[in-house]
Amino acid sequence: MGCFSSRVPMQTLNIALAGIARSGKTTLSKQLRVIHLEEPFSERELENFKDILKYNVFSGITSLIKQITDTKESLKQIDEKTNRKFVDHFMKISWEEFQKQLPELAPDILKFWEDKGVRLYVAENSIEDIERESQLSYVMTRITDIARPEYIPTVADAVRARQRTTGFTVLEFNTLYTNPKMHWKLYDMGGQMTERKKWEGIINDNTKAIIFCVALDEFDRISDENPEETFLDEAVNVFKHIASKVAQSDEPITLFLFLNKTDLFRNKLAKFKRFFADQYEGGKDYDNAIAFVTKKFSQDASVNFKCYETCALNKSQMSTVFEDVLGNIIATRLNKSGLIMEKKKDTDSIDLGL
């Protein structure tokens, strides 16, 4: 990769991580910690994740019970009488009581989750919203550990912990293996409409790149903020607004589009075909569906952008993607400076104006 030259100090990349709510921005940010930091999370952060994961269990099971018991017929699907008694008991428990009783409740929660009727219900009915908000299937594989008083979340647990971002958080790390070495400042910004008003104060001339995340699997979900739009429609509109801001910037800003949650999207290709039946003719083919979605973002966009298909939970993939992201940012700065990079090793002695 070449030797780093002491003639140029480590350069800083200010990157804004944007996207509407539930697009996977925070999971992506946490995954970057895992990739680039020896100790991705502090003891205090892990303790906080412990409470978040407990709440994921509480909210996920509560939502599942409410969905199953929405009708009396659904309630009959719960196989074990003891599990039906558990449902009655659980729905009377507050969050505060749940925290205290979790060690004793955990076996009953797991028994309910493994109930034949519950398994059949989950197999035959969509619990996408519950999974999206609580990562329920994952936390139920970890329920026995999560319930232990001495439990400390693993790195995988921390990455999976689900909590909405408000305001913004800043992740800083160095990439010492890159040429040149870089200091990253990644601004993870809340995606709700009220939070998006704060983006203007973060995205400025010091911003070198914007990564816009989109949850591919939410193409059919109605927006919480505009009942006349889907989440995909909303994401397209917000992205194009950002693209117009990038086009107006005096300093070059590299724009990236991350089509995220490809793992969940692949499972909904049949529904994708039906949902866009009057516009889309690509069948259940993944590449055709991706091309269709990408066109929605590129059509009438004010600037060019680089698009990636991503799964933020895939550590190996995200490591490769971010190496490419850095290469694209450097290329943008070199183009701006009129410099031609003839040899990769020469970049360690060039001030990229970052």
Side-chain angles (χ1 to χ4, degrees), residues 166-181:
T166 56
F168 68 91
T169 58
V170 183
L171 168 62
E172 298 190 49
F173 59 89
N174 299 327
T175 49
L176 303 180
Y177 59 85
T178 56
N179 218 353
K181 295 181 181 180

Side-chain angles (χ1 to χ4, degrees), residues 222-277:
I222 301 301
S223 167
D224 294 334
E225 294 159 354
N226 185 349
E228 296 183 0
E229 290 184 332
T230 63
F231 272 91
L232 180 59
D233 294 330
E234 184 181 356
V236 169
N237 291 334
V238 175
F239 177 79
K240 289 185 177 180
H241 174 73
I242 287 179
S244 69
K245 293 292 184 182
V246 169
Q248 296 167 20
S249 174
D250 294 331
E251 292 294 320
I253 299 175
T254 313
L255 181 60
F256 300 95
L257 176 66
F258 279 20
L259 299 179
N260 197 30
K261 303 189 180 183
T262 52
D263 54 332
L264 302 178
F265 182 63
R266 287 181 184 276
N267 294 331
K268 296 181 65 174
L269 288 173
K271 193 170 186 179
F272 184 88
K273 175 187 175 183
R274 294 194 301 271
F275 190 80
F276 291 107

